[in-house]
Amino acid sequence: MQLTHLSLTNFRNFTRLDIDLPGGTVMLVGNNAQGKTSLLEAIYFLATFTSFHASSDRQLINFIEARQDLAVGRIVADFSRGKENHRIEVRIIQEPNSQNGVKHMRKEVLLDGVKRKASEVIGQFNAVLFLPQMMGVIEGSPEERRRYLNLALAQVISHYQAALAEYNKALLQRNALLKQLYERKGDASQLDYWDDQIATFGAQLIHARIRAVQELERLAARTHRELTHANEVLRLSYQPAYDPLPQSPGQFKLPLDAAVDRCGFTQEQIRKGFLESLGKLRYEEIARGVTT
């Protein structure tokens, strides 16, 4: 895939930018606060529809444009994939209608001039990004690692983003029901539907993440072995909240070079095991009022 043209309108500090990009390596050079990072942010936004730099989409609209009742930031890119040429466009829209003084934000995504759901377009345009703060993937919380995997896998597995969205919706509904059962009691069998949804979509996520981490390990271990002259062994392992591997009591006693392999489990095996685990934890989670 090659990015050939980028157009920005009211994005960050750019009121307007049109730039053709040649093949090969491109180096951005300029003084501070001139928009180098914003340019990279725009490109990455086309791949993931989220910003690595902003906590809210409203921060992406040029501050002068954002003063208007209706403000629109726009990113358009022409790119080639194989022998095909495509155009992707994202419109970040700040609407005049507000709730509690906060203006409503929404996104429109177009692929080759046709409006599509973001979940349908993600993966058409690919980008890989590394920033110093991405060391948080290693040093930070599990949430940082999940976010990294989600952004990467959504670009390469067509159904991943949709499965993640459905999982999060099911989790939200299940937590609301658990809280209701905790506060008002009721029929615990109401959880059956949401348990099935969480197990179904959760299994898709776990299955994809296990294989992704295995591939990352294969690539990273090779480089690490070269850097350490084969004196060290690098192991990466994805351990989900529901782990399909049988759990032994106490600490695992494994040599450092022993691989922990979860790749032998099928998606259906993970789903069944996940569903069974939810059933075993049901009354404990009702007592907590939240999914653990």
Side-chain angles (χ1 to χ4, degrees):
M1 194 210 80
Q2 181 181 336
L3 175 63
T4 56
H5 183 84
L6 182 68
S7 174
L8 305 180
T9 305
N10 294 321
F11 182 85
R12 289 293 197 180
N13 57 332
F14 294 103
T15 54
R16 183 69 183 173
L17 174 73
D18 278 284
I19 182 171
D20 291 319
L21 295 164
T25 303
V26 176
M27 182 177 292
L28 301 178
V29 180
N31 294 329
N32 290 338
Q34 298 304 302
K36 300 186 299 298
T37 301
S38 296
L39 194 64
L40 297 178
E41 184 178 24
I43 294 171
Y44 192 69
F45 197 89
L46 292 170
T48 62
F49 306 123
T50 187
S51 168
F52 62 79
H53 212 47
S55 58
S56 168
D57 285 347
R58 72 180 69 254
Q59 298 172 10
L60 303 178
I61 298 178
N62 179 272
F63 71 97
I64 297 175
E65 173 71 7
R67 296 172 185 169
Q68 307 298 320
D69 287 336
L70 176 63
V72 180
R74 187 166 167 262
I75 312 170
V76 183
D78 295 326
F79 66 99
S80 61
R81 180 186 289 276
K83 296 181 179 180
E84 297 181 347
N85 296 320
H86 298 280
R87 170 169 288 191
I88 187 170
E89 177 179 347
V90 180
R91 300 167 185 167
I92 305 165
I93 302 169
Q94 175 184 276
E95 297 186 325
N97 299 327
S98 63
Q99 187 174 16
N100 299 324
V102 179
K103 293 184 177 180
H104 177 66
M105 302 294 299
R106 64 183 177 90
K107 284 193 287 276
E108 290 182 353
V109 178
L110 292 83
L111 181 63
D112 296 329
V114 179
K115 281 188 183 180
R116 305 277 291 275
K117 292 181 180 179
S119 60
E120 296 173 348
V121 179
I122 195 166
Q124 296 294 322
F125 181 91
N126 302 125
V128 177
L129 177 76
F130 181 79
L131 298 168
Q133 56 263 42
M134 291 185 74
M135 287 299 294
V137 172
I138 298 172
E139 301 169 349
S141 66
E143 183 179 358
E144 291 278 351
R145 289 181 278 280
R146 281 194 298 270
R147 184 172 186 270
Y148 172 81
L149 281 174
N150 289 339
L151 289 174
L153 291 175
Q155 294 190 58
V156 296
I157 300 176
S158 59
H159 67 270
Y160 188 89
Q161 183 65 27
L164 180 62
E166 291 298 328
Y167 176 84
N168 287 333
K169 283 195 289 186
L171 184 62
L172 188 66
Q173 293 294 330
R174 187 176 190 270
N175 281 338
L177 182 54
L178 284 170
K179 184 178 180 182
Q180 178 182 318
L181 291 171
Y182 169 72
E183 293 175 346
R184 307 175 196 171
K185 308 304 178 185
D187 184 2
S189 66
Q190 297 176 76
L191 288 165
D192 289 348
Y193 174 77
W194 297 115
D195 285 1
D196 183 71
Q197 291 288 291
I198 283 178
T200 297
F201 294 111
Q204 294 179 35
L205 303 179
I206 292 170
H207 191 258
R209 290 170 181 174
I210 286 172
R211 276 153 181 74
V213 172
Q214 183 191 45
E215 180 65 9
L216 285 172
E217 180 190 47
R218 184 183 69 81
L219 297 171
R222 183 172 60 194
T223 301
H224 186 268
R225 189 164 51 249
E226 293 173 358
L227 291 173
T228 62
H229 304 290
N231 290 321
E232 296 180 3
V233 175
L234 175 67
R235 287 293 183 198
L236 301 178
S237 179
Y238 173 64
Q239 185 173 356
Y242 162 68
D243 193 342
L245 278 179
Q247 300 300 300
S248 60
Q251 187 174 0
F252 283 109
K253 295 181 179 179
L254 296 174
L256 289 177
D257 60 348
V260 178
D261 186 12
R262 295 178 175 85
C263 290
F265 293 95
T266 66
Q267 188 172 299
E268 180 59 17
Q269 286 175 319
I270 295 172
R271 188 195 72 81
K272 287 181 178 179
F274 199 171
L275 189 60
E276 183 181 345
S277 176
L278 288 171
K280 290 178 179 178
L281 292 170
R282 172 169 293 186
Y283 291 100
E284 178 184 333
E285 291 181 332
I286 289 174
R288 294 174 181 268
V290 67
T291 301
T292 55

